[in-house]
Amino acid sequence: MCGIAGIVAFKRSIDLPVTIRQMTDAMAHRGPDADGFFTNDTIALGHRRLSIIDLSSSANQPIADHTGRYLIIFNGEIYNYRDVKKLLPEYPFSTNSDTEVLLAAYSKWGEACLPYLKGMFAFVIWDTVEQVMFIARDRMGVKPVYYFVNDNVFLFASELRGVLGSGIVPAKANKSAIIEFLSYQSVGFPESAIQGILQLGAGSTITIRGNKYSIKKYWDITSTPTIDFDFGDRLRVQQQVRQLLCNAVERRLVSDVPLGAFLSGGIDSSAVVGLMAEVGTGRPNTFTVGFQEKEFDESGYANIISRKFNTNHNQILLKPAVFLDELTNALNSMDTPSGDGVNTYVVSKAIKQSGLTVALSGIGGDELFAGYPFFKQYLQFKKYASVWGPAKLLRLGARLALGGSNKSQRMKALLNAPDTTIRYFYPEFRRIIAPQLLSSLTKWNNSRPMLEEQLVKLPATLEKYPLLSQVSIAEYTGYTQFTLLKDTDQFSMAVSLEAREPFFDHDLIEFVLAIPDHYKYPHYPKQLLVESLNGLLPDEIVHRKKQGFLFPWSVWMKNELRSFCETHLQRIAQRDFINGKNLLTYWQRFLNNDTSVRWMEIWLFVILEYWLEKNGIE
């Protein structure tokens, strides 16, 4: 896990050695173990290394292949690198790193090497003969790539900070991205929170030749995979799910440094820890956060799992006074604004301070195994798909009968959707601030958020999947890619910790998406996953009340965090795009325990102002 950056200069007006170092210095936290550079008259490559596989200096980057033709910088891990290496017996390897295996694979197959790779990655190849730059991002979008292009230059980096560190891109807020953030708590593809800086999509590549570049998608989650499997046998389906998840966990134990695991005590993290104990060679190191506020505290469940699998368990009791210090640290480390992820920072920091560099996470289980309520809700709506068009008068009557609460506004939007496909329903399931409220709190005429545009553009192959899998695909298109994975990357890497996510193994995902709904329907939480694990998890974990890994924000914001929130709300209220009076009135309603005001609606404005100020964004 590392940080990468690069420059392709179309005109010789840039000091390449100085600029590339500025870019990597801005991301030093991603790779504190080493840095490396390559520059010539037209290009520059920079790398910050967090050493995980082959700790020797010979594995520092950039690395050239044995002919000297290709140079590589790489962020991520190729978990099956040993298997790929066996396919390259003619290559004279000089290191034991997955980076050199990746380089050798590209030197033999070119971009056709991508289907061989199982892992999370963003890598760059410079072809010194053809003078071509090739950039690739992993299938699920675990590892980020941001880029900027104008008539003079093409810049790219693992973080917005890396691109801004060049000094070439003005630090101006992107209006459409801010609308996206306030609507969905993160910024979706293809734009970013900074004007002019774009995100490379998951499963995509960029090829830069001369002063031209092209983008190509090499893997699409909506492309129906060819799976030679008989789904008529429930037991065989469960056995295959277990085997694929077991493979995913085992692959992610490949490391030359010690590993740990995030453990909340929920089904997903418990499953990962249980399989680590099963396929690993030592006692897993596990970490959880505990709270004094018992309604938010999950540490008791984590302790059950720790005892069952004999882990080296570590608990962090997070008191409000301690959290205030950690909150500032977390927000200072935030590369792109997000309404979530502070919890990831806190646990990541504790894991890193314990001496570990890698940790497995259970994120992704809810998205794949129908763990959220809206999976069931969507199936309920689909029952009325055949009468959606003719029932307009009925729908109008229902809309008029609804009140003005957030839940009612969401229901009105669903009833007003053109049809019952997940393309139109998913945004309402995930929306934080409704358009009407956003219009009241800001002075922008709300344009259509990017998430909604992306869903409408999904290919028709989406409808070939089972309904629950269609919801999963929408999740991967939206919240999962742009909040969950992005937060895991930015907040773990802020403390130089590599997070690995077995539930984002593409072999596992492709298989589970093909499973018919009647196997996956959750009569109890994530039933298919639990049954596939065949008694691995105790009943206390399976049938516990779902909490999610949440902090007691609504309590703290009215008490310990009140001054912090009020200060930033008053500041953002002065900005020209905010209806300051309305926002501060809404804040007072929250403080007065108005149950129609959700803490997250307020928190997004606090976060936004902090990020704008911290980064000097206009």
Side-chain angles (χ1 to χ4, degrees), residues 9-31:
F10 304 145
K11 298 179 181 178
R12 298 188 180 184
S13 57
I14 301 170
D15 188 331
L16 292 174
V18 170
T19 305
I20 193 63
R21 185 170 287 276
Q22 290 173 176
M23 295 173 72
T24 56
D25 284 350
M27 305 183 295
H29 51 277
R30 295 188 71 93

Side-chain angles (χ1 to χ4, degrees), residues 279-292:
V279 302
T281 57
R283 294 176 65 192
N285 300 290
T286 53
F287 296 80
T288 193
V289 168
F291 300 106
Q292 291 177 320

Side-chain angles (χ1 to χ4, degrees), residues 295-344:
E295 66 269 32
F296 297 96
D297 186 57
E298 297 182 290
S299 60
Y301 297 109
N303 289 334
I304 291 172
I305 294 299
S306 173
R307 289 193 297 268
K308 178 175 176 60
F309 298 112
N310 190 31
T311 74
N312 296 309
H313 192 53
N314 302 268
Q315 181 174 320
I316 309 123
L317 179 61
L318 199 59
K319 299 179 181 179
V322 176
F323 176 73
L324 288 175
D325 293 333
E326 292 296 2
L327 175 63
T328 302
N329 294 332
L331 296 184
N332 286 341
S333 70
M334 188 167 57
D335 180 55
T336 185
S338 174
D340 206 350
V342 176
N343 47 359
T344 302

Side-chain angles (χ1 to χ4, degrees), residues 293 320 324 552-566 569 586-600 602-603 606:
E293 296 83 358
L324 288 175
W553 294 104
S554 58
V555 177
W556 290 352
M557 286 172 66
K558 294 173 183 177
N559 297 284
E560 292 85 359
L561 289 178
R562 177 169 176 169
S563 176
F564 177 85
C565 291
E566 205 145 58
L569 288 170
Y586 205 63
W587 166 242
Q588 286 302 316
R589 286 173 56 188
F590 172 76
L591 294 176
N592 293 333
N593 299 314
D594 184 336
T595 56
S596 69
V597 181
R598 296 183 297 165
W599 68 265
M600 177 62 87
I602 300 292
W603 184 244
V606 176

